[in-house]
Amino acid sequence: MKVLVIGSGGREHALVWKIAQSPLVTRVFCAPGNPGIGTIAECVDIKVDDLQGLLSFAKREEIDLTVVGPELPLSLGVVDLFEEYGLKIFGARRNAALIEASKAFSKEIMKKYNVPTAAYDVFTEVEPALAFIERHGAPIVVKADGLAAGKGVIVAQTAQEAQEAVRDMLSGNTFGTAGARVVIEEFLKGEEASFLAFTDGKNIIPLASAQDHKAVFDGDQGPNTGGMGAYSPAPVVTPAIHEKAMEEVMRRTIDGMAAEGRPYRGVLYAGLMIDGGEVKTLEFNARFGDPECQPLLMRMKSDIVPVLLAVAQGDLAGVEIEWHDKAAVCVVMAAAGYPGEYRKGDVINGLDEAGRIDDLYVFHAGTALKEEKFVTNGGRVLGVTALGDTVESAIEKAYEGVAAVRWEGVHYRTDIGAKAVGKKR
Ligand code: AMP
Ligand code: GLY
């Protein structure tokens, strides 16, 4: 089989790495990929939003399965287009991917189908939004409706901060049209977890639990990023929480989407807030989480290709996934300045040394090749991901890898996985 993966981040590197291990697969392509991916697959220079380019490549190469990494091509309708031409593709169709592309839409689905979430309201005008914030007080959360690369959410500690965020977003200055509508919602406390499931629109197969670390600095301080590290399993997802997440979040949402005439096929990612045995949904994504995908795929024992194929063909019945009874931890190494403006072009040293560590893999996210050397080329540069018998040993191993790698101004959190230590699985 020939497989094409669309995307260029750590998530796609992990997908390519896992797919390439399948005995069913003869060739793996990645569009556009990155230099790390290029060491294990064939990168093709087609951008993720060039749907026609992707389609002609898949037709020309007779690709048997295409796997979509990021949200942008999903929300542009890449799955619909490929299906129109009879090509197998893993991902949500455009009308289902709206669950990520519009926060107002996803809140509406949650409300209509009784999926637990924070109380909220939607605004397009400044004055009523300011008045709403005045009435409810802080802390309060302001979200740009559209896609904003994980940065469109302001958890405001004061009413003034929330009001400023509303003005910025609705004026179109910060997020362009993505901010033309805002969701303002109740602040939820608790511990977050990432809950992902494969679905063909009817059958639901959960992935192992995971937890992301969104804030840029240790102790969850500083602004939110796309994710500074992740681990799996997440002990906060106890069997009782797992059950609730499956019934109250996944089942209701997937049935709801079907009832709306937007059958959801692909991987559905629910960002959960867990508090006192209750589960609430912070958001949905129509794709694998990044970095969560890295530790998750490292723990997946089963071949992923039959699962992806079954989803693409709309029949997951009878499919099962086995997981390694180990923990995996991914530490993101980022460029100086991220998530603000960051440096590019710094030479990355120590990759060979890290590569010699057992049960550890360095996934590339934002790298480039310059004069045959890997250099930094993105905010999140690498995802150093390790497997261990316990979360403690996986943490130790991941940081052993991190210590081997260096470049000027490198930044990473030193507490990835700390929340899981000492908690029973
Ligand atoms: P989202 O993209 O909606 O998941 O929001 C990004 C991050 O903002 C989440 O991972 C949470 O850390 C935080 N967040 C979002 N909504 C809320 C909320 N209602 N209460 C508290 N924190 C939130
Ligand atoms: N790690 C968060 C996300 O993928 O949205």
Side-chain angles (χ1 to χ4, degrees):
M1 259 178 79
K2 288 190 195 174
V3 180
L4 167 65
V5 175
I6 300 175
S8 63
R11 166 181 50 211
E12 290 75 22
H13 194 173
L15 281 165
V16 163
W17 172 83
K18 182 71 184 158
I19 289 167
Q21 292 170 37
S22 170
L24 301 169
V25 171
T26 48
R27 282 176 86 181
V28 187
F29 299 90
C30 190
N34 65 41
I37 295 174
T39 63
I40 54 171
E42 299 168 61
C43 293
V44 283
D45 190 16
I46 308 171
K47 294 206 165 61
V48 302
D49 59 356
D50 177 6
L51 303 199
Q52 288 302 331
L54 292 165
L55 176 69
S56 5
F57 177 80
K59 286 202 291 197
R60 189 169 69 242
E61 282 292 340
E62 299 180 343
I63 297 293
D64 299 290
L65 174 68
T66 299
V67 180
V68 189
E71 59 276 21
L72 181 62
L74 296 171
S75 64
L76 292 173
V78 72
V79 172
D80 311 57
L81 181 69
F82 274 51
E83 285 182 346
E84 227 174 90
Y85 285 85
L87 294 168
K88 282 194 206 97
I89 182 161
F90 173 91
R93 289 186 193 145
R94 184 181 183 156
N95 69 359
L98 195 62
I99 204 159
E100 171 167 8
S102 166
K103 291 198 188 280
F105 171 77
S106 91
K107 295 293 286 192
E108 208 178 290
I109 291 289
M110 289 190 244
K111 195 170 176 179
K112 187 164 170 188
Y113 295 98
N114 201 20
V115 177
T117 189
Y120 76 105
D121 221 326
V122 180
F123 299 90
T124 52
E125 302 292 334
V126 176
E127 287 310 321
L130 298 183
F132 181 88
I133 292 166
E134 199 64 56
R135 265 201 318 283
H136 286 81
I140 194 162
V141 182
V142 180
K143 302 183 173 187
D145 177 51
L147 295 177
K151 291 164 201 147
V153 174
I154 305 293
V155 179
Q157 296 305 329
T158 63
Q160 196 189 351
E161 193 188 337
Q163 291 174 329
E164 239 163 71
V166 159
R167 282 201 196 91
D168 277 358
M169 288 183 192
L170 289 179
S171 66
N173 290 341
T174 341
F175 299 107
T177 52
R181 256 199 309 186
V182 297
V183 169
I184 304 181
E185 72 177 29
E186 169 199 8
F187 171 82
L188 298 175
K189 62 179 181 50
E191 189 170 341
E192 287 182 54
S194 305
F195 195 95
L196 287 82
F198 290 113
T199 176
D200 57 7
K202 280 193 312 284
N203 301 287
I204 307 173
I205 304 185
L207 278 76
S209 59
Q211 195 176 55
D212 187 11
H213 297 63
K214 291 223 162 93
V216 68
F217 299 125
D218 284 7
D220 294 333
Q221 300 297 308
N224 269 347
T225 68
M228 292 298 292
Y231 62 87
S232 170
V236 65
V237 183
T238 59
I241 293 291
H242 176 95
E243 192 99 331
K244 278 198 174 172
M246 278 298 280
E247 287 313 310
E248 297 177 10
V249 181
M250 288 295 167
R251 177 48 68 199
R252 289 179 194 172
T253 303
I254 286 159
D255 289 351
M257 291 295 280
E260 293 291 304
R262 299 170 183 269
Y264 193 97
R265 211 183 253 186
V267 58
L268 181 62
Y269 163 153
L272 303 179
M273 187 67 94
I274 297 160
D275 189 34
E278 292 303 317
V279 171
K280 283 193 175 160
T281 312
L282 293 173
E283 65 162 346
F284 283 113
N285 294 313
R287 51 173 174 80
F288 292 102
D290 193 6
E292 292 94 320
C293 191
Q294 302 173 47
L296 281 172
L297 294 192
M298 209 168 235
R299 286 193 61 218
M300 191 183 284
K301 199 168 177 180
S302 309
D303 184 351
I304 195 173
V305 174
V307 184
L308 300 173
L309 260 180
V311 171
Q313 288 166 335
D315 189 11
L316 255 186
V319 174
E320 279 177 20
I321 301 177
E322 262 193 278
W323 299 91
H324 287 293
D325 188 24
K326 292 189 177 211
V329 171
C330 167
V331 179
V332 169
M333 300 183 78
Y338 177 75
E341 259 185 59
Y342 52 81
R343 288 167 58 119
K344 280 187 182 178
D346 289 306
V347 174
I348 305 170
N349 292 302
L351 284 169
D352 290 344
E353 197 184 320
R356 281 192 289 272
I357 303 174
D358 285 339
D359 285 336
L360 178 136
Y361 200 89
V362 180
F363 295 110
H364 288 221
T367 64
L369 271 179
K370 200 162 96 189
E371 290 155 14
E372 294 180 25
K373 287 198 176 109
F374 291 111
V375 298
T376 63
N377 194 41
R380 293 190 289 177
V381 178
L382 302 170
V384 179
T385 309
L387 212 50
D389 289 333
T390 60
V391 70
E392 287 90 338
S393 63
I395 292 171
E396 204 173 299
K397 181 154 282 198
Y399 279 107
E400 199 187 315
V402 167
V405 177
R406 42 205 177 263
W407 68 82
E408 199 164 337
V410 57
H411 168 70
Y412 55 86
R413 279 181 61 159
T414 65
D415 63 350
I416 302 301
K419 272 188 214 156
V421 174
K423 272 192 209 163
K424 269 222 223 83
R425 274 211 223 165

